[in-house]
Amino acid sequence: MTVPHNSAPDAPNDIANDSPLGGDLVSRGATDADVRVDFLHRVRFTRDVFDPSNSTLADVLDPTGRGPGTSRLLVAIDDGLCAAWPHLEAAVNAYAAAHADRMPVPATTMVVPGGEACKNDMATVDRVVEAVDRHRICRRSYILAIGGGAMLDAVGFASTIAHRGVRLVRIPTTTLAQDDAAMGVKNGVNRFGKKNFVGAFAPPWAVVNDERFLETLSDADFRNGFSEAVKIALLRDPALFARLERDAERVCARDLAAAMPIVRRSAELHLRHITRGGDPFETREARPLDYGHWSAHKLESMTRFALSHGAAVGIGVALDTLYAALEGRLSRVDADRTIDVQRRLGITMWHPALDDVDALVRGLEEFREHLGGRLTITLLRGIGQSDDVHTMDASTLRAAVAELRRVAAG
Ligand SMILES: NC(=O)c1ccc[n+]([C@@H]2O[C@H](COP(=O)([O-])OP(=O)(O)OC[C@H]3O[C@@H](n4cnc5c(N)ncnc54)[C@H](O)[C@@H]3O)[C@@H](O)[C@H]2O)c1
Ligand SMILES: [Zn+2]
């Protein structure tokens, strides 16, 4: 039997002894033994998560109904979110008090910088780790991180290293974090000017998405967050792509009735890749969901992270789509549909940093180094169909950048 790792088994492991004199390691001095660890990835969508009548959060914090016991709670809130929701800390406290039979009341609430800045040094990670110590947060306690994908990555990384892993509950509050980032099993921060250079793989204890938070996002962050939905639709789901085409104007106008089914489907596809794709910790060369990401990550670092991840992915998706069309592997019709839907969604597709194509091309090697092994880039063959390639041609890339400059301006 396998026990969900993060469900904290109480029974000691049943360690079978091969023979009274031991197993292979004793007799032959060598053994190759599988290590398998199962996790449970709990994802919920709800509205008004901190309304005391909403039990979603209490339910995921107390799945067995035994109550909080000795567990404690550390809350970290994105400062950009705090500015838009000034009563949020009080709402979290009131919610915890109303559900005190199910969950701990917060031992402390920290406001941490939102946006990529919190990933550009270790300050946020260090602060959270120190707070874990100061407020006696144990491995069966919870860190509740509420905010955008950047702070979820930084606070999440702190949660993976403090005590070698404290339970992390993410409440993502941006379109990108809800349709992609919060589903991920990756945490990390940037170092040496490189994206996600330091980090760890660790599934969260739970992810609770609340669409209400999306109401206060900036237009740019709201719209660019859909670049990850376009990406996964292109890779995996022509029906989602068709829906994006159908509802693009409504999504761009922030109509949540049109936007949320897309956010949910994108989240579901990202989650499915992690839970059923067979490689959650990315040990293989290919990183199939990173369509458009080799240039996105490079553009983020070239702009010293002034370009947001969502915008950079919008550019990266457009660039690799035009590249594939120039190579003749993707039809013009499908390339045009992709550029058109991104334009109608209001997704960014250009940044002046693209002028430095030589620097951009160096991003290919950095991407290879980060993933390890051979360079492996996913390129489209059609909408919903992709292939892995192991080289990209610099002059075709240059032509794709020139074409992108034209289409983004038009
Ligand atoms: N771990 C993963 O698997 C994974 C996957 C994809 C992306 N990411 C990471 O996610 C990050 C991008 O996340 P993002 O797009 O959520 O942007 P973000 O976290 O940078 O947030 C954007 C801005 O919105 C503010 N904000 C957040 N929620 C708000 C709200 N509801 N109302 C008003 N303001 C709000 C933040 O303070 C910030 O200024 C990148 O660092 C990217 O690398 C991680
Ligand atoms: Zn991404």
Side-chain angles (χ1 to χ4, degrees), residues 78-81 84-85 114-116 119 148-151 153 173-174 176-177 180-181 184 186 195-196 213-214 216-217 221 228 309:
D78 183 312
D79 67 357
L81 180 73
W85 298 80
E116 203 66 23
K119 288 178 65 173
M151 73 78 82
D153 273 3
T173 60
T174 66
L176 188 141
D180 178 354
K186 292 184 272 188
K195 188 81 182 164
N196 301 328
F213 286 123
L214 304 182
T216 56
L217 255 188
D221 284 323
E228 301 278 16
H309 185 69

PDB file of all heavy atoms in Angstrom, residues 78-81 84-85 114-116 119 148-151 153 173-174 176-177 180-181 184 186 195-196 213-214 216-217 221 228 309, ligand 1:
ATOM      1  N   ASP A  78       0.187  38.679  -0.127  1.00  0.00           N
ATOM      2  CA  ASP A  78       0.808  39.509  -1.163  1.00  0.00           C
ATOM      3  C   ASP A  78       0.480  40.986  -0.893  1.00  0.00           C
ATOM      4  O   ASP A  78      -0.697  41.331  -0.695  1.00  0.00           O
ATOM      5  CB  ASP A  78       0.170  39.032  -2.493  1.00  0.00           C
ATOM      6  CG  ASP A  78       0.690  39.692  -3.743  1.00  0.00           C
ATOM      7  OD1 ASP A  78       0.782  40.923  -3.771  1.00  0.00           O
ATOM      8  OD2 ASP A  78       0.950  38.957  -4.712  1.00  0.00           O
ATOM      9  N   ASP A  79       1.499  41.856  -0.899  1.00  0.00           N
ATOM     10  CA  ASP A  79       1.209  43.257  -0.541  1.00  0.00           C
ATOM     11  C   ASP A  79       0.341  43.968  -1.591  1.00  0.00           C
ATOM     12  O   ASP A  79      -0.448  44.854  -1.247  1.00  0.00           O
ATOM     13  CB  ASP A  79       2.485  44.055  -0.213  1.00  0.00           C
ATOM     14  CG  ASP A  79       3.412  44.270  -1.398  1.00  0.00           C
ATOM     15  OD1 ASP A  79       3.128  43.757  -2.499  1.00  0.00           O
ATOM     16  OD2 ASP A  79       4.436  44.965  -1.214  1.00  0.00           O
ATOM     17  N   GLY A  80       0.451  43.557  -2.858  1.00  0.00           N
ATOM     18  CA  GLY A  80      -0.406  44.155  -3.887  1.00  0.00           C
ATOM     19  C   GLY A  80      -1.867  43.768  -3.654  1.00  0.00           C
ATOM     20  O   GLY A  80      -2.795  44.582  -3.843  1.00  0.00           O
ATOM     21  N   LEU A  81      -2.058  42.544  -3.225  1.00  0.00           N
ATOM     22  CA  LEU A  81      -3.413  42.072  -2.914  1.00  0.00           C
ATOM     23  C   LEU A  81      -3.964  42.815  -1.699  1.00  0.00           C
ATOM     24  O   LEU A  81      -5.125  43.245  -1.674  1.00  0.00           O
ATOM     25  CB  LEU A  81      -3.366  40.561  -2.646  1.00  0.00           C
ATOM     26  CG  LEU A  81      -4.692  39.906  -2.313  1.00  0.00           C
ATOM     27  CD1 LEU A  81      -5.559  39.799  -3.562  1.00  0.00           C
ATOM     28  CD2 LEU A  81      -4.468  38.515  -1.713  1.00  0.00           C
ATOM     29  N   ALA A  84      -5.368  46.120  -2.382  1.00  0.00           N
ATOM     30  CA  ALA A  84      -6.685  46.073  -3.024  1.00  0.00           C
ATOM     31  C   ALA A  84      -7.768  45.532  -2.081  1.00  0.00           C
ATOM     32  O   ALA A  84      -8.953  45.809  -2.280  1.00  0.00           O
ATOM     33  CB  ALA A  84      -6.605  45.224  -4.294  1.00  0.00           C
ATOM     34  N   TRP A  85      -7.346  44.757  -1.101  1.00  0.00           N
ATOM     35  CA  TRP A  85      -8.302  44.141  -0.157  1.00  0.00           C
ATOM     36  C   TRP A  85      -7.828  44.460   1.266  1.00  0.00           C
ATOM     37  O   TRP A  85      -7.340  43.573   1.983  1.00  0.00           O
ATOM     38  CB  TRP A  85      -8.366  42.614  -0.368  1.00  0.00           C
ATOM     39  CG  TRP A  85      -8.852  42.213  -1.729  1.00  0.00           C
ATOM     40  CD1 TRP A  85      -8.128  42.176  -2.880  1.00  0.00           C
ATOM     41  CD2 TRP A  85     -10.175  41.801  -2.082  1.00  0.00           C
ATOM     42  NE1 TRP A  85      -8.912  41.770  -3.936  1.00  0.00           N
ATOM     43  CE2 TRP A  85     -10.177  41.526  -3.477  1.00  0.00           C
ATOM     44  CE3 TRP A  85     -11.366  41.629  -1.360  1.00  0.00           C
ATOM     45  CZ2 TRP A  85     -11.323  41.096  -4.155  1.00  0.00           C
ATOM     46  CZ3 TRP A  85     -12.498  41.197  -2.041  1.00  0.00           C
ATOM     47  CH2 TRP A  85     -12.471  40.939  -3.422  1.00  0.00           C
ATOM     48  N   GLY A 114       4.566  41.473  -3.303  1.00  0.00           N
ATOM     49  CA  GLY A 114       4.019  40.732  -4.430  1.00  0.00           C
ATOM     50  C   GLY A 114       4.816  41.041  -5.680  1.00  0.00           C
ATOM     51  O   GLY A 114       5.636  41.966  -5.692  1.00  0.00           O
ATOM     52  N   GLY A 115       4.582  40.292  -6.743  1.00  0.00           N
ATOM     53  CA  GLY A 115       5.300  40.541  -7.993  1.00  0.00           C
ATOM     54  C   GLY A 115       6.679  39.900  -7.986  1.00  0.00           C
ATOM     55  O   GLY A 115       7.144  39.383  -6.972  1.00  0.00           O
ATOM     56  N   GLU A 116       7.328  39.957  -9.140  1.00  0.00           N
ATOM     57  CA  GLU A 116       8.596  39.248  -9.337  1.00  0.00           C
ATOM     58  C   GLU A 116       9.687  39.685  -8.362  1.00  0.00           C
ATOM     59  O   GLU A 116      10.603  38.922  -8.069  1.00  0.00           O
ATOM     60  CB  GLU A 116       9.048  39.433 -10.786  1.00  0.00           C
ATOM     61  CG  GLU A 116       9.995  38.382 -11.309  1.00  0.00           C
ATOM     62  CD  GLU A 116       9.376  36.985 -11.435  1.00  0.00           C
ATOM     63  OE1 GLU A 116       8.149  36.846 -11.544  1.00  0.00           O
ATOM     64  OE2 GLU A 116      10.165  36.012 -11.400  1.00  0.00           O
ATOM     65  N   LYS A 119      10.885  37.375  -5.840  1.00  0.00           N
ATOM     66  CA  LYS A 119      11.676  36.208  -6.263  1.00  0.00           C
ATOM     67  C   LYS A 119      13.114  36.588  -6.608  1.00  0.00           C
ATOM     68  O   LYS A 119      13.916  35.717  -6.918  1.00  0.00           O
ATOM     69  CB  LYS A 119      11.028  35.542  -7.492  1.00  0.00           C
ATOM     70  CG  LYS A 119       9.744  34.798  -7.173  1.00  0.00           C
ATOM     71  CD  LYS A 119       9.096  34.179  -8.407  1.00  0.00           C
ATOM     72  CE  LYS A 119       9.914  33.094  -9.064  1.00  0.00           C
ATOM     73  NZ  LYS A 119       9.140  32.423 -10.155  1.00  0.00           N
ATOM     74  N   GLY A 148      -0.299  36.402  -5.756  1.00  0.00           N
ATOM     75  CA  GLY A 148       0.053  36.070  -7.131  1.00  0.00           C
ATOM     76  C   GLY A 148       1.091  34.952  -7.210  1.00  0.00           C
ATOM     77  O   GLY A 148       1.652  34.532  -6.196  1.00  0.00           O
ATOM     78  N   GLY A 149       1.328  34.506  -8.431  1.00  0.00           N
ATOM     79  CA  GLY A 149       2.218  33.368  -8.656  1.00  0.00           C
ATOM     80  C   GLY A 149       3.625  33.596  -8.145  1.00  0.00           C
ATOM     81  O   GLY A 149       4.280  32.642  -7.699  1.00  0.00           O
ATOM     82  N   ALA A 150       4.089  34.847  -8.176  1.00  0.00           N
ATOM     83  CA  ALA A 150       5.469  35.101  -7.743  1.00  0.00           C
ATOM     84  C   ALA A 150       5.613  34.852  -6.248  1.00  0.00           C
ATOM     85  O   ALA A 150       6.510  34.118  -5.819  1.00  0.00           O
ATOM     86  CB  ALA A 150       5.863  36.527  -8.110  1.00  0.00           C
ATOM     87  N   MET A 151       4.729  35.459  -5.445  1.00  0.00           N
ATOM     88  CA  MET A 151       4.876  35.233  -3.997  1.00  0.00           C
ATOM     89  C   MET A 151       4.540  33.787  -3.623  1.00  0.00           C
ATOM     90  O   MET A 151       5.134  33.235  -2.699  1.00  0.00           O
ATOM     91  CB  MET A 151       4.086  36.260  -3.170  1.00  0.00           C
ATOM     92  CG  MET A 151       2.596  36.145  -3.132  1.00  0.00           C
ATOM     93  SD  MET A 151       1.943  34.869  -2.029  1.00  0.00           S
ATOM     94  CE  MET A 151       1.961  35.667  -0.444  1.00  0.00           C
ATOM     95  N   ASP A 153       5.442  31.253  -5.337  1.00  0.00           N
ATOM     96  CA  ASP A 153       6.698  30.536  -5.587  1.00  0.00           C
ATOM     97  C   ASP A 153       7.708  30.754  -4.461  1.00  0.00           C
ATOM     98  O   ASP A 153       8.383  29.816  -4.024  1.00  0.00           O
ATOM     99  CB  ASP A 153       7.327  31.017  -6.902  1.00  0.00           C
ATOM    100  CG  ASP A 153       6.823  30.264  -8.124  1.00  0.00           C
ATOM    101  OD1 ASP A 153       5.937  29.396  -7.966  1.00  0.00           O
ATOM    102  OD2 ASP A 153       7.306  30.538  -9.233  1.00  0.00           O
ATOM    103  N   THR A 173      -4.368  34.453  -6.524  1.00  0.00           N
ATOM    104  CA  THR A 173      -5.285  35.592  -6.693  1.00  0.00           C
ATOM    105  C   THR A 173      -5.117  36.305  -8.036  1.00  0.00           C
ATOM    106  O   THR A 173      -5.597  37.423  -8.198  1.00  0.00           O
ATOM    107  CB  THR A 173      -5.073  36.606  -5.554  1.00  0.00           C
ATOM    108  OG1 THR A 173      -3.714  37.070  -5.599  1.00  0.00           O
ATOM    109  CG2 THR A 173      -5.361  35.991  -4.201  1.00  0.00           C
ATOM    110  N   THR A 174      -4.422  35.667  -8.971  1.00  0.00           N
ATOM    111  CA  THR A 174      -4.302  36.238 -10.328  1.00  0.00           C
ATOM    112  C   THR A 174      -4.815  35.195 -11.319  1.00  0.00           C
ATOM    113  O   THR A 174      -4.897  34.000 -10.995  1.00  0.00           O
ATOM    114  CB  THR A 174      -2.830  36.565 -10.679  1.00  0.00           C
ATOM    115  OG1 THR A 174      -2.103  35.330 -10.740  1.00  0.00           O
ATOM    116  CG2 THR A 174      -2.190  37.491  -9.655  1.00  0.00           C
ATOM    117  N   LEU A 176      -3.231  34.157 -13.932  1.00  0.00           N
ATOM    118  CA  LEU A 176      -2.145  33.223 -14.257  1.00  0.00           C
ATOM    119  C   LEU A 176      -1.923  32.218 -13.134  1.00  0.00           C
ATOM    120  O   LEU A 176      -1.702  31.029 -13.376  1.00  0.00           O
ATOM    121  CB  LEU A 176      -0.854  33.994 -14.549  1.00  0.00           C
ATOM    122  CG  LEU A 176       0.291  33.149 -15.094  1.00  0.00           C
ATOM    123  CD1 LEU A 176       1.061  33.901 -16.170  1.00  0.00           C
ATOM    124  CD2 LEU A 176       1.252  32.694 -14.005  1.00  0.00           C
ATOM    125  N   ALA A 177      -2.006  32.685 -11.897  1.00  0.00           N
ATOM    126  CA  ALA A 177      -1.787  31.765 -10.775  1.00  0.00           C
ATOM    127  C   ALA A 177      -2.931  30.761 -10.677  1.00  0.00           C
ATOM    128  O   ALA A 177      -2.718  29.607 -10.312  1.00  0.00           O
ATOM    129  CB  ALA A 177      -1.631  32.550  -9.479  1.00  0.00           C
ATOM    130  N   ASP A 180      -2.691  28.307 -13.939  1.00  0.00           N
ATOM    131  CA  ASP A 180      -1.459  27.556 -14.133  1.00  0.00           C
ATOM    132  C   ASP A 180      -0.631  27.445 -12.851  1.00  0.00           C
ATOM    133  O   ASP A 180      -0.563  26.382 -12.225  1.00  0.00           O
ATOM    134  CB  ASP A 180      -0.621  28.222 -15.249  1.00  0.00           C
ATOM    135  CG  ASP A 180       0.723  27.550 -15.500  1.00  0.00           C
ATOM    136  OD1 ASP A 180       1.080  26.635 -14.754  1.00  0.00           O
ATOM    137  OD2 ASP A 180       1.422  27.949 -16.444  1.00  0.00           O
ATOM    138  N   ALA A 181      -0.017  28.583 -12.425  1.00  0.00           N
ATOM    139  CA  ALA A 181       1.064  28.516 -11.437  1.00  0.00           C
ATOM    140  C   ALA A 181       0.716  27.750 -10.160  1.00  0.00           C
ATOM    141  O   ALA A 181       1.509  26.926  -9.692  1.00  0.00           O
ATOM    142  CB  ALA A 181       1.533  29.929 -11.090  1.00  0.00           C
ATOM    143  N   GLY A 184       0.974  23.999  -9.996  1.00  0.00           N
ATOM    144  CA  GLY A 184       2.291  23.402 -10.188  1.00  0.00           C
ATOM    145  C   GLY A 184       2.844  22.761  -8.926  1.00  0.00           C
ATOM    146  O   GLY A 184       2.380  23.024  -7.813  1.00  0.00           O
ATOM    147  N   LYS A 186       6.069  23.111  -8.414  1.00  0.00           N
ATOM    148  CA  LYS A 186       7.376  23.763  -8.377  1.00  0.00           C
ATOM    149  C   LYS A 186       7.307  25.012  -7.519  1.00  0.00           C
ATOM    150  O   LYS A 186       6.309  25.713  -7.516  1.00  0.00           O
ATOM    151  CB  LYS A 186       7.799  24.153  -9.794  1.00  0.00           C
ATOM    152  CG  LYS A 186       8.096  22.965 -10.662  1.00  0.00           C
ATOM    153  CD  LYS A 186       8.600  23.375 -12.011  1.00  0.00           C
ATOM    154  CE  LYS A 186       7.493  23.609 -12.989  1.00  0.00           C
ATOM    155  NZ  LYS A 186       7.951  23.828 -14.359  1.00  0.00           N
ATOM    156  N   LYS A 195      15.931  32.914 -14.179  1.00  0.00           N
ATOM    157  CA  LYS A 195      14.597  32.561 -13.720  1.00  0.00           C
ATOM    158  C   LYS A 195      14.609  31.207 -12.979  1.00  0.00           C
ATOM    159  O   LYS A 195      15.156  30.217 -13.479  1.00  0.00           O
ATOM    160  CB  LYS A 195      13.725  32.476 -14.982  1.00  0.00           C
ATOM    161  CG  LYS A 195      12.280  32.307 -14.754  1.00  0.00           C
ATOM    162  CD  LYS A 195      11.599  33.602 -14.430  1.00  0.00           C
ATOM    163  CE  LYS A 195      10.140  33.314 -14.170  1.00  0.00           C
ATOM    164  NZ  LYS A 195       9.468  34.397 -13.506  1.00  0.00           N
ATOM    165  N   ASN A 196      14.003  31.187 -11.818  1.00  0.00           N
ATOM    166  CA  ASN A 196      13.785  29.943 -11.063  1.00  0.00           C
ATOM    167  C   ASN A 196      15.054  29.111 -10.885  1.00  0.00           C
ATOM    168  O   ASN A 196      15.011  27.877 -10.932  1.00  0.00           O
ATOM    169  CB  ASN A 196      12.712  29.078 -11.752  1.00  0.00           C
ATOM    170  CG  ASN A 196      11.393  29.814 -11.877  1.00  0.00           C
ATOM    171  OD1 ASN A 196      11.045  30.634 -11.045  1.00  0.00           O
ATOM    172  ND2 ASN A 196      10.647  29.531 -12.943  1.00  0.00           N
ATOM    173  N   PHE A 213     -11.177  37.381  -6.131  1.00  0.00           N
ATOM    174  CA  PHE A 213      -9.920  38.129  -6.074  1.00  0.00           C
ATOM    175  C   PHE A 213      -9.536  38.707  -7.433  1.00  0.00           C
ATOM    176  O   PHE A 213      -8.863  39.728  -7.511  1.00  0.00           O
ATOM    177  CB  PHE A 213      -8.781  37.244  -5.539  1.00  0.00           C
ATOM    178  CG  PHE A 213      -8.874  36.996  -4.055  1.00  0.00           C
ATOM    179  CD1 PHE A 213      -8.931  35.705  -3.544  1.00  0.00           C
ATOM    180  CD2 PHE A 213      -8.905  38.064  -3.169  1.00  0.00           C
ATOM    181  CE1 PHE A 213      -9.016  35.485  -2.173  1.00  0.00           C
ATOM    182  CE2 PHE A 213      -8.996  37.853  -1.794  1.00  0.00           C
ATOM    183  CZ  PHE A 213      -9.050  36.560  -1.298  1.00  0.00           C
ATOM    184  N   LEU A 214      -9.961  38.056  -8.509  1.00  0.00           N
ATOM    185  CA  LEU A 214      -9.556  38.500  -9.841  1.00  0.00           C
ATOM    186  C   LEU A 214     -10.134  39.875 -10.188  1.00  0.00           C
ATOM    187  O   LEU A 214      -9.641  40.559 -11.080  1.00  0.00           O
ATOM    188  CB  LEU A 214      -9.986  37.472 -10.900  1.00  0.00           C
ATOM    189  CG  LEU A 214      -9.466  36.046 -10.670  1.00  0.00           C
ATOM    190  CD1 LEU A 214      -9.930  35.139 -11.810  1.00  0.00           C
ATOM    191  CD2 LEU A 214      -7.953  36.019 -10.549  1.00  0.00           C
ATOM    192  N   THR A 216      -9.925  42.640  -8.743  1.00  0.00           N
ATOM    193  CA  THR A 216      -9.099  43.830  -8.467  1.00  0.00           C
ATOM    194  C   THR A 216      -7.752  43.807  -9.192  1.00  0.00           C
ATOM    195  O   THR A 216      -6.934  44.708  -9.011  1.00  0.00           O
ATOM    196  CB  THR A 216      -8.846  43.960  -6.946  1.00  0.00           C
ATOM    197  OG1 THR A 216      -8.247  42.744  -6.476  1.00  0.00           O
ATOM    198  CG2 THR A 216     -10.138  44.226  -6.199  1.00  0.00           C
ATOM    199  N   LEU A 217      -7.512  42.783  -9.990  1.00  0.00           N
ATOM    200  CA  LEU A 217      -6.244  42.713 -10.730  1.00  0.00           C
ATOM    201  C   LEU A 217      -6.151  43.845 -11.748  1.00  0.00           C
ATOM    202  O   LEU A 217      -7.174  44.277 -12.277  1.00  0.00           O
ATOM    203  CB  LEU A 217      -6.211  41.404 -11.518  1.00  0.00           C
ATOM    204  CG  LEU A 217      -5.353  40.242 -11.068  1.00  0.00           C
ATOM    205  CD1 LEU A 217      -5.378  39.186 -12.160  1.00  0.00           C
ATOM    206  CD2 LEU A 217      -3.933  40.681 -10.779  1.00  0.00           C
ATOM    207  N   ASP A 221      -2.353  42.430 -15.978  1.00  0.00           N
ATOM    208  CA  ASP A 221      -2.149  41.122 -15.339  1.00  0.00           C
ATOM    209  C   ASP A 221      -3.339  40.195 -15.601  1.00  0.00           C
ATOM    210  O   ASP A 221      -3.167  38.988 -15.790  1.00  0.00           O
ATOM    211  CB  ASP A 221      -1.915  41.284 -13.829  1.00  0.00           C
ATOM    212  CG  ASP A 221      -0.505  41.786 -13.536  1.00  0.00           C
ATOM    213  OD1 ASP A 221       0.438  41.382 -14.237  1.00  0.00           O
ATOM    214  OD2 ASP A 221      -0.348  42.616 -12.608  1.00  0.00           O
ATOM    215  N   GLU A 228      -1.077  31.584 -20.548  1.00  0.00           N
ATOM    216  CA  GLU A 228      -0.851  30.177 -20.163  1.00  0.00           C
ATOM    217  C   GLU A 228      -2.040  29.305 -20.583  1.00  0.00           C
ATOM    218  O   GLU A 228      -1.873  28.119 -20.883  1.00  0.00           O
ATOM    219  CB  GLU A 228      -0.616  30.048 -18.655  1.00  0.00           C
ATOM    220  CG  GLU A 228       0.572  30.847 -18.111  1.00  0.00           C
ATOM    221  CD  GLU A 228       1.926  30.171 -18.295  1.00  0.00           C
ATOM    222  OE1 GLU A 228       2.034  29.217 -19.105  1.00  0.00           O
ATOM    223  OE2 GLU A 228       2.886  30.619 -17.635  1.00  0.00           O
ATOM    224  N   HIS A 309       5.773  37.565 -16.269  1.00  0.00           N
ATOM    225  CA  HIS A 309       5.803  36.217 -16.839  1.00  0.00           C
ATOM    226  C   HIS A 309       4.670  36.024 -17.846  1.00  0.00           C
ATOM    227  O   HIS A 309       4.886  35.480 -18.926  1.00  0.00           O
ATOM    228  CB  HIS A 309       5.712  35.175 -15.726  1.00  0.00           C
ATOM    229  CG  HIS A 309       5.846  33.767 -16.232  1.00  0.00           C
ATOM    230  ND1 HIS A 309       7.017  33.262 -16.734  1.00  0.00           N
ATOM    231  CD2 HIS A 309       4.926  32.767 -16.342  1.00  0.00           C
ATOM    232  CE1 HIS A 309       6.833  32.005 -17.127  1.00  0.00           C
ATOM    233  NE2 HIS A 309       5.579  31.677 -16.904  1.00  0.00           N
TER     234      HIS A 309
HETATM  235  N1  LIG B   1       5.346  27.269  -9.840  1.00  0.00           N
HETATM  236  C1  LIG B   1       4.906  27.146 -11.070  1.00  0.00           C
HETATM  237  O1  LIG B   1       4.661  26.042 -11.542  1.00  0.00           O
HETATM  238  C2  LIG B   1       4.668  28.379 -11.900  1.00  0.00           C
HETATM  239  C3  LIG B   1       3.976  28.268 -13.110  1.00  0.00           C
HETATM  240  C4  LIG B   1       3.747  29.421 -13.852  1.00  0.00           C
HETATM  241  C5  LIG B   1       4.216  30.647 -13.392  1.00  0.00           C
HETATM  242  N2  LIG B   1       4.898  30.716 -12.212  1.00  0.00           N
HETATM  243  C6  LIG B   1       5.415  32.015 -11.714  1.00  0.00           C
HETATM  244  O2  LIG B   1       4.338  32.886 -11.395  1.00  0.00           O
HETATM  245  C7  LIG B   1       4.833  34.230 -11.435  1.00  0.00           C
HETATM  246  C8  LIG B   1       3.831  35.128 -12.120  1.00  0.00           C
HETATM  247  O3  LIG B   1       2.671  35.157 -11.349  1.00  0.00           O
HETATM  248  P1  LIG B   1       1.458  36.160 -11.612  1.00  0.00           P
HETATM  249  O4  LIG B   1       1.206  36.265 -13.053  1.00  0.00           O
HETATM  250  O5  LIG B   1       0.400  35.707 -10.707  1.00  0.00           O
HETATM  251  O6  LIG B   1       2.027  37.595 -11.216  1.00  0.00           O
HETATM  252  P2  LIG B   1       2.578  38.198  -9.861  1.00  0.00           P
HETATM  253  O7  LIG B   1       2.598  37.234  -8.762  1.00  0.00           O
HETATM  254  O8  LIG B   1       3.868  38.854 -10.229  1.00  0.00           O
HETATM  255  O9  LIG B   1       1.465  39.296  -9.512  1.00  0.00           O
HETATM  256  C9  LIG B   1       1.277  40.404 -10.342  1.00  0.00           C
HETATM  257  C10 LIG B   1       0.880  41.632  -9.522  1.00  0.00           C
HETATM  258  O10 LIG B   1      -0.454  41.530  -9.084  1.00  0.00           O
HETATM  259  C11 LIG B   1      -0.557  41.836  -7.685  1.00  0.00           C
HETATM  260  N3  LIG B   1      -1.744  41.110  -7.260  1.00  0.00           N
HETATM  261  C12 LIG B   1      -1.877  39.788  -7.017  1.00  0.00           C
HETATM  262  N4  LIG B   1      -3.169  39.477  -6.834  1.00  0.00           N
HETATM  263  C13 LIG B   1      -3.870  40.622  -6.959  1.00  0.00           C
HETATM  264  C14 LIG B   1      -5.253  40.936  -6.896  1.00  0.00           C
HETATM  265  N5  LIG B   1      -6.179  39.978  -6.766  1.00  0.00           N
HETATM  266  N6  LIG B   1      -5.632  42.230  -7.023  1.00  0.00           N
HETATM  267  C15 LIG B   1      -4.699  43.195  -7.246  1.00  0.00           C
HETATM  268  N7  LIG B   1      -3.382  42.952  -7.341  1.00  0.00           N
HETATM  269  C16 LIG B   1      -2.975  41.677  -7.202  1.00  0.00           C
HETATM  270  C17 LIG B   1       0.769  41.444  -7.133  1.00  0.00           C
HETATM  271  O11 LIG B   1       1.066  42.161  -5.948  1.00  0.00           O
HETATM  272  C18 LIG B   1       1.715  41.827  -8.264  1.00  0.00           C
HETATM  273  O12 LIG B   1       2.054  43.183  -8.173  1.00  0.00           O
HETATM  274  C19 LIG B   1       6.175  34.177 -12.160  1.00  0.00           C
HETATM  275  O13 LIG B   1       7.226  34.335 -11.239  1.00  0.00           O
HETATM  276  C20 LIG B   1       6.197  32.795 -12.740  1.00  0.00           C
HETATM  277  O14 LIG B   1       7.498  32.303 -12.911  1.00  0.00           O
HETATM  278  C21 LIG B   1       5.125  29.616 -11.462  1.00  0.00           C
END
